[in-house]
Amino acid sequence: MTEFSVFSRRAVLGLGVGALAAAAAPRVWAQATAPAAPTGPFSLPKRAYEPNALEPHIDTTTMDIHYNRHHAAYVAALNNAAKDNGVIAKASVGELLADLNQLPESVRTLVRNNGGGHANHTMFWEVMGPGAGGAPTGDVAAAITKDLGGFDKFKADFEAAGLRVFGSGWVFVTVDKDGKLALLAKPNQDSPIMEKQMVLLGNDVWEHAYYLKYQNRRADYLKSWWNVVNWTKVNERYAAAKAGKLAI
């Protein structure tokens, strides 16, 4: 056996041991690489459930990365901007988005992207939950029937709107102060709040929301998402909207 073949065999064996060790290692990388959020007026909302709670419809790793990296990055950007811009520090994210055109031009795009991302994701975590799904109940069910043609039609239209988003964005259900519902898709992290509209619920169709599990099958993700919609929370948001108290 040549020196080269002995070396190659040892190298392969070494790589095999390394690969096995890596496979056996705890999956802590998503938490470890989360960006440090500077102190400031904005913070990550505490979710009411663990990252694995929405399995199998949304996988644990996606939930971890989505919350601890993507959402945390929006919060960090807002807090960094607030250090040098008192107008950002003194307002809620909802107020900033509603009055976006009144902000200095130098920070307007930053707030639009990161404030929108913060508001959208804060809503997103709230309208999902474990042991959820099924058909809507209560006043929301009645409103869906009245304004959106019933639950089956609403689901089909909502999924179609999500599929039509080119690239990254969101599909929302908005609600006005009289309780009337409407479907609305937006690109990037734009929020209906920027148009003085309240958000009842919405689904994230950025690839980071689904790609690890569904790859390019956005349609499958949209269909599966109904299994985690927390209609009790959606009804609470609906009541808050009609009372004029729904902020994000």
Side-chain angles (χ1 to χ4, degrees):
M1 184 178 294
T2 66
E3 182 179 354
F4 177 77
S5 62
V6 170
F7 172 79
S8 298
R9 185 179 179 190
R10 286 175 179 170
V12 169
L13 288 173
L15 287 172
V17 171
L20 288 172
R27 296 180 67 181
V28 298
W29 54 272
Q31 291 277 6
T33 55
T39 57
F42 305 99
S43 61
L44 276 172
K46 183 172 176 57
R47 286 185 313 218
Y49 45 87
E50 296 300 318
N52 65 349
L54 305 186
E55 291 271 10
H57 310 291
I58 301 179
D59 61 282
T60 304
T61 303
T62 293
M63 287 293 293
D64 188 16
I65 295 172
H66 202 165
Y67 179 79
N68 284 299
R69 286 203 244 169
H70 291 282
H71 192 170
Y74 302 133
V75 173
L78 284 173
N79 282 334
N80 275 327
K83 292 176 182 178
D84 301 316
N85 295 274
V87 65
I88 296 177
K90 294 176 183 177
S92 69
V93 67
E95 290 168 338
L96 290 172
L97 292 172
D99 293 322
L100 191 63
N101 290 332
Q102 303 304 313
L103 293 176
E105 188 174 353
S106 60
V107 297
R108 200 174 299 157
T109 298
L110 183 146
V111 171
R112 176 176 188 161
N113 292 337
N114 294 284
H118 182 29
N120 289 342
H121 286 86
T122 299
M123 172 277 301
F124 189 54
W125 312 131
E126 184 175 304
V127 301
M128 299 188 296
T137 58
D139 290 344
V140 166
I144 288 174
T145 297
K146 176 177 176 290
D147 299 328
L148 302 174
F151 187 44
D152 289 341
K153 183 179 186 303
F154 159 60
K155 284 199 300 182
D157 291 345
F158 187 94
E159 292 168 23
L163 286 173
R164 285 194 300 269
V165 173
F166 184 77
S168 302
W170 290 74
V171 55
F172 298 101
V173 176
T174 61
V175 54
D176 66 19
K177 59 184 172 70
D178 296 321
K180 184 176 177 58
L181 307 183
L183 279 178
L184 179 66
K186 302 289 281 184
N188 303 316
Q189 291 296 351
D190 284 3
S191 167
I193 298 171
M194 293 165 15
E195 299 167 5
K196 314 293 187 186
Q197 296 177 319
M198 293 181 286
V199 178
L200 180 64
L201 75 156
N203 193 2
D204 188 346
V205 295
W206 282 63
E207 285 188 341
H208 66 235
Y210 63 86
Y211 201 84
L212 290 180
K213 181 176 179 67
Y214 296 94
Q215 291 82 51
N216 64 325
R217 304 189 308 276
R218 185 190 286 183
D220 291 349
Y221 161 70
L222 285 162
K223 287 184 182 300
S224 188
W225 185 71
W226 299 112
N227 292 291
V228 299
V229 175
N230 185 337
W231 292 111
T232 298
K233 282 293 183 183
V234 175
N235 266 298
E236 291 175 6
R237 291 178 64 84
Y238 187 66
K242 292 193 294 182
K245 297 179 180 179
L246 183 60
I248 293 179

